[in-house]
Amino acid sequence: MRSTLALTALAVAAALASSAAAAQGFAVRAGYANVNPKSDNGAIAGARSSIDSNSRFVVGASYFLDDQWELSVDAGATTFKHTVNLAGLGDVVSLKHHPISLGANWHFFGREDGGFSPYVGLGYNWTSLSDVRGINALAGAPVDIEDSNGFTAALGADFLASESWFLRGEARWIDFDADVTLGGANIGTANVDPWVYSLQAGLRF
């Protein structure tokens, strides 16, 4: 599943690149992001759960339709790693996830009116999970967490260093809920709903 989503994102990015070459509206980005799940992640097996945060490298590509509208694809350059903690049991599950977001951003002032360009964005996110395994009290247990997809909203700003180079800071909220199973039986839903804080450097062609 993760490889399919990654190939889809790469295909979209390639299409954006080819169509934007003539329009001079293509940009690529790379940087670092922190995935920070909300504080209360729901009840799993009757116990309150919490999921820790993690930081990894991220990449992205954009096609600027004009000075204000931008189509974007963002993804983790590698998988993020998290641990699930259950009240009374401690850390019981480790997992990796790979998020891919497609969306549109609207820049308030346009990108040609100075060095600061704040924006808001809406989109859709696919998150594939891998290497889900029980640890400590659940070591060896057949635990699994399903992939997730949902809407995403972003608030950010570009700082334009030149006509081509820019720095992007962004806070993105992701609607991320996933069913948790143990031996094939549903034992709860993980309400992750993380904020993703990122800082990226970009080059616009």
Side-chain angles (χ1 to χ4, degrees):
M1 181 67 173
R2 187 181 73 186
S3 59
T4 301
L5 293 174
L7 288 173
T8 301
L10 288 174
V12 172
L16 290 177
S18 60
S19 64
Q24 299 294 307
F26 183 64
V28 292
R29 293 173 274 104
Y32 210 60
N34 175 261
V35 174
N36 192 349
K38 70 175 187 176
S39 57
D40 184 359
N41 301 124
I44 298 176
R48 185 171 179 263
S49 67
S50 61
I51 302 172
D52 62 0
S53 62
N54 188 239
S55 298
R56 285 290 187 272
F57 286 103
V58 291
V59 294
S62 298
Y63 173 47
F64 291 90
L65 299 170
D66 54 30
D67 290 349
Q68 290 186 293
W69 285 103
E70 169 196 2
L71 303 179
S72 68
V73 54
D74 292 270
T78 60
T79 54
F80 290 82
K81 300 178 181 180
H82 298 275
T83 301
V84 181
N85 182 287
L86 291 185
L89 290 177
D91 295 338
V92 292
V93 175
S94 69
L95 60 90
K96 297 178 181 178
H97 85 273
H98 190 256
I100 299 174
S101 294
L102 298 175
N105 298 327
W106 184 74
H107 293 256
F108 289 95
F109 310 134
R111 289 178 50 87
E112 309 300 333
D113 293 339
F116 176 65
S117 179
Y119 65 86
V120 293
L122 288 174
Y124 208 72
N125 174 267
W126 294 265
T127 299
S128 59
L129 281 78
S130 62
D131 198 19
V132 179
R133 57 190 179 88
I135 58 175
N136 299 327
L138 290 184
V143 62
D144 193 23
I145 304 176
E146 69 172 9
D147 294 344
S148 175
N149 60 84
F151 289 102
T152 178
L155 177 64
D158 288 346
F159 301 88
L160 312 178
S162 68
E163 249 183 64
S164 300
W165 291 97
F166 63 96
L167 189 66
R168 170 166 294 189
E170 182 183 88
R172 177 183 297 272
W173 176 81
I174 297 175
D175 179 20
F176 182 168
D177 299 316
D179 288 338
V180 183
T181 61
L182 181 63
N186 189 294
I187 57 172
T189 299
N191 305 121
V192 186
D193 295 344
W195 280 94
V196 181
Y197 304 103
S198 65
L199 184 64
Q200 301 178 63
L203 174 63
R204 186 175 178 180
F205 299 92

